[in-house]
Amino acid sequence: MEIIKRLRLQSQLKERPKDETKLGFGDKFTDHMFKMDYYDGAWRQPRIEAYAPLVMSPAAMVLHYSQTIFEGLKCYRHPDDRLALFRPRENFKRFNQSADRLCVPPIDEEFMLKALKELLRVDGHWVPKQPGASLYVRPTIIATEPHLGVRPSKEYLLYIILSPVGAYYKDGFAPIRIYVESFYTRSAPGGLGAVKAGASYASSLLATEKAARIGYTQLLWLDSIEHRYVEEVGSMNMFFVIDQKIITAPLTGTILPGVTRSSVFEVARDLDIEVQEKLLDINEILEAKASGRLSEAFGAGTAVVISPVGTLCYKEKEFTVGDGQVGPITQKLYDELVGLQYGHKKDTRGWIEFVDR
Ligand SMILES: *Cc1c(COP(=O)(O)O)cnc(C)c1O
């Protein structure tokens, strides 16, 4: 399929953010977007056009029954000015897994990568130069058919938008405070937990707001049956370092299979650090803390890469992880991943995909 381009005139281009140190997350967008429609049983009319509001029927199914999925990845500027994507095929593979779960028709993963690169060739000058900043890529699919009966839509819009985002750790690599949620749950076996669906985020808002009100940045979700086993945090997979081993929840269908999570596995292995996937009871973590065997905890996800956790609050009691500072394993993993993404370390694993211009 040929990608049609209807680009803005030079005089219609937006003004780019002048101060890249002041970029936040996800509130500025580039000049163009990629779009493609699905109807009559096929994806059609791939095109790159001006970033603009969408027009759809108020009866569009996504607005009523949340049939929507998304992805999140980043484009980095390397020191030689080349634009680099980090393991983008993994994201498009997962996009299809999400599509399958939400009854959305599958996409051609290689074609999507080609489309994204084409969009980045058009708007590549938006990829920030500032260390730690990047261009966040948000592929999305929404059900657009105007219909109020509950069933999968027969029409969809797929789009990719791009947002320049700032360095997450503006004031240094600082540990966050996490609230262990023992009432609300994020996902149940057989539910949407393993895919990137907007609906999962809608159901997470209330608990996250309540935790924010009492001073916690993020929530650590426990399993929905026994409220004991740690699952994941906000939009990150969660890792604990106990007895110098990294432990994380297994992919049993209730947590998201993060690209960063799998990258942590491989990088840790190369650093001779053992990684274990196992059900980890929150009480086991408290015991490990009491006996001094819990040295570090961190989250991992595209937006933050690695986020050290300094404090956990469970059942009204707060406790410090390790010495409350960034631990050595957390730091090593962060340095290695960020080094690869920004082109300061050699990519020996074929994870970097360049956008040739
Ligand atoms: C996206 C996401 C992650 C992290 O996945 P990455 O591929 O590493 O960005 C973790 N948990 C949830 C719920 C997510 O939506």
Side-chain angles (χ1 to χ4, degrees):
M1 271 192 298
E2 196 200 341
I3 300 172
I4 305 289
K5 282 190 217 153
R6 278 196 304 263
L7 304 186
R8 285 179 196 252
L9 299 173
Q10 198 71 25
S11 60
Q12 293 173 336
L13 294 181
K14 300 186 207 176
E15 204 178 325
R16 272 187 290 144
K18 281 197 194 70
D19 187 353
E20 292 183 349
T21 63
K22 294 213 166 62
L23 289 169
F25 183 86
D27 46 20
K28 294 183 179 65
F29 300 94
T30 68
D31 288 303
H32 298 92
M33 63 195 291
F34 172 81
K35 280 173 147 182
M36 182 160 77
D37 301 304
Y38 182 95
Y39 56 88
D40 289 346
W43 286 107
R44 298 165 194 279
Q45 292 155 358
R47 58 203 185 270
I48 293 173
E49 48 185 56
Y51 178 97
L54 305 175
V55 175
M56 70 178 112
S57 164
M61 294 181 86
V62 63
L63 302 176
H64 302 271
Y65 309 125
S66 303
Q67 200 190 1
T68 173
I69 55 169
F70 68 95
E71 264 307 322
L73 63 157
K74 281 175 169 178
C75 181
Y76 307 87
R77 189 178 292 279
H78 277 200
D80 60 5
D81 249 2
R82 280 202 292 173
L83 304 183
L85 292 162
F86 186 72
R87 308 185 71 187
R89 286 186 174 81
E90 297 298 315
N91 293 89
F92 290 120
K93 196 164 102 193
R94 189 171 64 193
F95 207 24
N96 263 338
Q97 291 163 1
S98 303
D100 185 55
R101 181 64 182 81
L102 273 290
C103 296
V104 169
I107 45 112
D108 176 335
E109 294 164 25
E110 280 305 312
F111 178 75
M112 286 312 300
L113 182 55
K114 190 179 131 189
L116 171 57
K117 287 182 176 177
E118 197 63 37
L119 178 62
L120 288 167
R121 275 190 276 273
V122 173
D123 276 354
H125 55 289
W126 282 82
V127 182
K129 292 189 169 62
Q130 181 71 22
S134 57
L135 190 67
Y136 185 76
V137 177
R138 170 54 60 89
T140 306
I141 300 179
I142 57 173
T144 47
E145 187 192 351
H147 180 75
L148 295 182
V150 178
R151 57 153 171 80
S153 173
K154 293 183 180 125
E155 296 166 15
Y156 298 87
L157 171 68
L158 179 157
Y159 59 86
I160 304 176
I161 51 176
L162 307 172
S163 173
V165 299
Y168 194 83
Y169 299 103
K170 279 187 269 311
D171 314 314
F173 191 41
I176 59 165
R177 292 160 53 78
I178 287 205
Y179 184 82
V180 183
E181 178 56 59
S182 43
F183 176 71
Y184 296 105
T185 58
R186 176 184 167 271
S187 90
L192 297 179
V195 301
K196 267 183 132 62
S200 296
Y201 278 83
S203 84
S204 76
L205 297 176
L206 179 62
T208 311
E209 279 302 290
K210 285 189 171 176
R213 254 178 258 151
I214 52 170
Y216 297 92
T217 332
Q218 297 258 12
L219 281 192
L220 172 58
W221 299 104
L222 299 178
D223 79 280
S224 61
I225 298 175
E226 300 188 54
H227 301 273
R228 277 206 301 158
Y229 299 107
V230 297
E231 298 216 312
E232 60 182 323
V233 165
S235 56
M236 296 187 288
N237 294 111
M238 190 65 205
F239 300 78
F240 294 89
V241 181
I242 298 178
D243 293 331
Q244 299 306 307
K245 261 189 273 185
I246 302 177
I247 305 175
T248 195
L251 299 178
T252 52
T254 54
I255 65 164
L256 210 278
V259 178
T260 320
R261 177 184 184 274
S262 89
S263 308
V264 162
F265 282 21
E266 293 199 36
V267 169
R269 202 182 306 139
D270 293 348
L271 293 171
D272 277 328
I273 305 165
E274 196 181 326
V275 186
Q276 238 182 21
E277 286 176 273
K278 69 167 197 133
L279 292 177
L280 190 56
D281 190 319
I282 182 72
N283 297 301
E284 227 179 300
I285 297 174
L286 295 178
E287 277 162 34
K289 158 71 190 170
S291 56
R293 291 153 48 236
L294 171 69
S295 52
E296 303 178 39
F298 60 90
T302 297
V304 298
V305 192
I306 299 283
S307 179
V309 174
T311 308
L312 289 169
C313 177
Y314 179 59
K315 300 213 163 142
E316 325 286 304
K317 277 230 254 326
E318 241 189 38
F319 63 97
T320 309
V321 178
D323 58 3
Q325 305 301 309
V326 181
I329 292 179
T330 307
Q331 186 72 52
K332 266 189 215 155
L333 292 169
Y334 177 81
D335 291 344
E336 182 67 25
L337 287 172
V338 168
L340 286 167
Q341 291 165 341
Y342 287 89
H344 301 298
K345 297 219 167 168
K346 196 161 172 269
D347 172 29
T348 54
R349 303 177 188 88
W351 283 353
I352 297 296
E353 180 83 24
F354 287 108
V355 180
D356 293 312
R357 286 189 282 182

